[in-house]
Amino acid sequence: MNTITNRQAICDALMKAAETDKDIVVTCSDSRGSASLAPFADTYPKQFVEMGIAEQNLVTVSAGMAACGKKVFAASPASFLSTRSYEQAKVDVAYSNTNVTLIGISGGVSYGALGMTHHSCQDIAAMAALPGMRVYLPSDRFQTTKLMEALLLDKDPAYVRVSRSATEDVYDENMEFTLNKANKILAGKEAVDATIITCGELVPYAVEAAKALAEEGISVDVIDMYCIKPLDEEAVLAAAEKSKVLITAEEHAPQGGLGSLVCQLICEKHPMRVVQRSLPDGHIISGNNKEIFAYYGLDDLGLAKTVKEALA
Amino acid sequence: MDALTRKAYELRRDILEEVYKSGSGHVGGDLSVIDILTVLYNEIMDITPENFGERNRDHFLLSKGHCVDALYMVLGDLGFFDKQEAKDTFSAYDSKFIGHPNTDIPGIEINSGSLGHGLALGVGMAIAGKMDGMDYRTYVVLGDGEMAEGSNYEAMMAAGHYHLDNLCATVDLNGLQISGTTDQVMSTADLGEKFAAFGWNVIHVEDGNNCAHLVEAYHKAEACKGKPTVVIAHTVKGKGVSFMENNKSWHHGVMTEEQYKQAIADIEEVLS
């Protein structure tokens, strides 16, 4: 069982890059601990800026630094970063095309029982709607590292959402990774019964579901669509060609997320049945993230059940 | 008349021509802020078309971005672009000279227009300068109506916390906004006390349309170490045009031909 979180992977990638690049700056909103960025702050105090509990200021100040040549990584709970600072993300990061990467930590229902104030189930919809803003939800620590290495090389705005808890390993350090190309966990068949298109923390559950279904003779591909914007359209359309049904699964509200984006594409380019699974448009039960996923059918058992029902 | 004042009135004439041609713009605020912009760009800041691509040069943000009409004329006058093109195409179909600052225009640092962003951007620029050991200064111009935006107070707090003596804000305190006086709409009371409470050096300029007084204030700001400075410039909205002065309806009023002729005559009288 993996215990290394994606936020730790982010910190490691930033620390490695900061060794040689003095323009890399991390900003936090009293969130260095929860972002696992305290080691960065301790090691590179001159490249770390604490903004206090002021997320709007966090984002705009980061943009100001970027306008003066800094490569800024602003880390704050995804709930506040994506909605309280939405105006700032829109104007100062996306519209102004500043070299700022927004890192939404403790994303989705990571904060479980803390309630809706701390959930970020609108962030994909919100951020994906901004012209110029890229949206990434990496699954495991290896993919998170590869994503960060790629983002460190470019200058464009991005929003990255990661979970608070460790995600089970899907890949290893030799994984193949091309920015904006989905990773695929394939059943190894020319045609499959279903493809689950998912992202972030749900990917390991989808992989488990596919394994369990294989034993029952049901073939399922999994597409790890960490790149929600720009969406890997080629991967979606290839899946549509070879699958009887597509399933989307996401830790997000039903509106405007991965499922919506997949459906937009499928409706126009390859009409077929898509079953969308997500968190509800409403109050989310109390519990840890695993309990919440299970309740809403987003864990391995729930996803397997959804596939069977879709094929029935 | 001193050279800066003459320049400010010549730019007033340019602004009137620009906004009259376009039938848009924010002429009242343009005329209150133009002396501040003239002084900063011609006397205080080191920002030129030649050094604009460099990191270690002064930085400027027009947080009250709706007065970009005035900024266009200042930048055009300094040779950042063809001033006449800006006059001819301001706010026109497919023009790059839109009604708020944008980086398609040479000399503009970052997109703005949504109020309450400039001060925090300036804080970021000032922090970056300190990090890099560079001696540039960052100047931000805010409106007084804009000071109702809460984001300004987060930025004020951070600037005080980090002792950003390389940051200088100016509030164009003309006392008017679109719906009435700032006292009527949302009183900012004594802005100086608010800035001071966050650890800022506060300089009031009682005649904020007086170029010499503004120059003096900015020199004092530069001499102040250990804290950021705000210059609170008590200005007159519509300054220089008799029928516009202190009249809220000229926030973004559009002149008739007769009014335009009168406005130009008012400016010419001062220049002569």
Side-chain angles (χ1 to χ4, degrees), chain A residues 194 196 205-206 208-210 212-213 216 218 220 245 247 273 275 277 293-312:
Chain A
I196 304 174
Y205 292 113
E208 282 304 309
L213 290 165
E216 298 181 40
I218 300 170
V220 177
V245 64
I247 315 286
R273 184 158 182 237
V275 177
R277 287 290 176 267
F293 295 153
Y295 184 86
Y296 294 109
L298 297 171
D299 66 352
D300 48 349
L301 296 177
L303 292 174
K305 187 168 171 245
T306 295
V307 171
K308 282 196 213 174
E309 285 172 357
L311 291 169

Side-chain angles (χ1 to χ4, degrees), chain A residues 5-57:
Chain A
T5 59
N6 290 350
R7 53 201 166 111
Q8 283 175 272
I10 290 173
C11 182
D12 290 345
L14 291 173
M15 286 183 65
K16 194 175 159 195
E19 270 178 35
T20 52
D21 189 345
K22 294 301 157 198
D23 280 332
I24 289 170
V25 175
V26 169
T27 58
C28 281
S29 57
D30 197 21
S31 48
R32 72 183 80 178
S34 44
S36 296
L37 283 164
F40 186 100
D42 293 341
T43 311
Y44 301 104
K46 290 181 178 169
Q47 289 168 256
F48 179 86
V49 184
E50 176 60 70
M51 294 313 303
I53 305 171
E55 294 82 7
Q56 298 172 74
N57 208 39

Side-chain angles (χ1 to χ4, degrees), chain B residues 12 15 24 28 30 38 46 66 78 94 120 127 157 227 238 259:
Chain B
R12 279 184 166 85
I15 291 165
S24 65
D30 293 343
T38 303
D46 173 31
H66 52 281
L78 291 170
D94 204 28
I127 290 175
M157 189 183 295
K227 49 169 80 173
Q259 285 170 326

